[in-house]
Every structure is written in C-alpha cells, then in structure tokens.
Amino acid sequence: MAATYSISDLARELDITTRAIRFYEEQGMLSPERRGQERIYSAKDKVTLKLILRGKRIGFSLAECKELIELYDPSHGNRKQLETFMDKIAERRDQLQQQLLDIQQMQLELDTAEERCLIALAETDKKQSVNS
C-alpha cells in the first residue's frame, strides 16, 4: 500500500502550516484524495510540496515552481524539466548578482550621506561653540 499523509502529518513533517498546504491545493499544485472532509495526500503530493518549498527558498515564484513541477514527465524522462530548472537557476543568479551590486551601491551612497552629515554636525557644533 502506498504511503499516504493527512494534512497535519505533512504540515508537521515539512514544518509548514495546514493553511499553506490548502493554499497550494487551491492553486492546483496538489490534488489530495478526499474521504468525506478529510484530505489524503499521496507520496507524490509530499514530493510536490518539498519542491515548492525548495523553489520558494531559492527565490522562485509560485508560478515558476508550478511550471517546473508540471514539466515533470517520468514516462519521457525529465530532461525538459531539468533544462528549464537550469535556466531558472541562471536567471535567479543573475538577479541576485544585480541585487548585490545594487546593495553595494546603496551602501556607498549611505556612507557618503553619513559622512556629509557628520561634517555638517561638526560644523554646526563649531559654530555654536564660537557663538557661545
């Protein structure tokens, strides 16, 4: 018999909320069986959730995660999925590199602003001491 999980089992095991799991289900990314009101998740649903969480950790949008998951086709191999994943990794690296450059530029601008403020404060203190 294949492994199955309740929503609370998955939430506990993957350290996420049941609300998050229901959200991914609403987005069409999970499709648990139903037994009355109870959701029964398969091993495939668990793997899908792990992939979603991994994708979110590395900065992929939910749409990108969904695209990658939908590309998986075990009957034809997963070359297309892996190639797309590699493309998205390269894109994400480029975005992060640009963000790093932007942060470094902002730090330089903050350093300059701080230096100007310190000089202005020193001049203000000097003027006040001369006028006192």
Side-chain angles (χ1 to χ4, degrees), residues 3 6 11 14 16 25 37-38 42 53 61-62 71 73 77 86 88-89 91-92 97 99 105 108-109 116 121 128 131:
S6 70
L14 300 175
I16 59 174
E25 185 180 338
Q37 291 288 83
E38 187 180 11
S42 67
L53 297 173
S61 69
L62 198 54
L71 283 173
D73 182 2
M86 291 293 293
K88 293 198 176 299
I89 288 170
E91 287 173 18
R92 186 66 184 133
Q97 185 60 41
Q99 287 176 335
Q105 181 61 41
L108 288 173
E109 290 176 21
R116 287 180 180 162
L121 283 170
Q128 286 180 349
N131 292 335

Side-chain angles (χ1 to χ4, degrees), residues 32-128:
E33 289 181 36
R34 297 280 187 154
R35 287 192 197 137
Q37 291 288 83
E38 187 180 11
R39 293 169 166 91
I40 307 297
Y41 294 89
S42 67
K44 180 183 180 216
D45 289 321
K46 181 179 174 183
V47 169
T48 298
L49 260 175
K50 285 181 174 182
L51 292 172
I52 293 167
L53 297 173
R54 182 179 301 143
K56 297 298 287 173
R57 272 194 312 274
I58 59 177
F60 289 170
S61 69
L62 198 54
E64 289 172 315
C65 293
K66 188 173 185 177
E67 176 188 356
L68 287 167
I69 291 164
E70 288 173 351
L71 283 173
Y72 180 68
D73 182 2
S75 64
H76 293 96
N78 57 353
R79 182 172 188 80
K80 178 68 175 161
Q81 181 193 41
L82 292 171
E83 288 172 344
T84 302
F85 190 34
M86 291 293 293
D87 290 343
K88 293 198 176 299
I89 288 170
E91 287 173 18
R92 186 66 184 133
R93 280 187 197 278
D94 290 345
Q95 290 170 350
L96 288 171
Q97 185 60 41
Q98 185 57 54
Q99 287 176 335
L100 184 58
L101 292 172
D102 292 345
I103 289 169
Q104 290 170 338
Q105 181 61 41
M106 191 178 297
Q107 286 177 321
L108 288 173
E109 290 176 21
L110 287 169
D111 289 346
T112 301
E114 181 180 43
E115 188 176 322
R116 287 180 180 162
C117 285
L118 289 170
I119 290 169
L121 283 170
E123 289 174 1
T124 301
D125 290 346
K126 188 176 179 181
K127 285 179 186 176
Q128 286 180 349

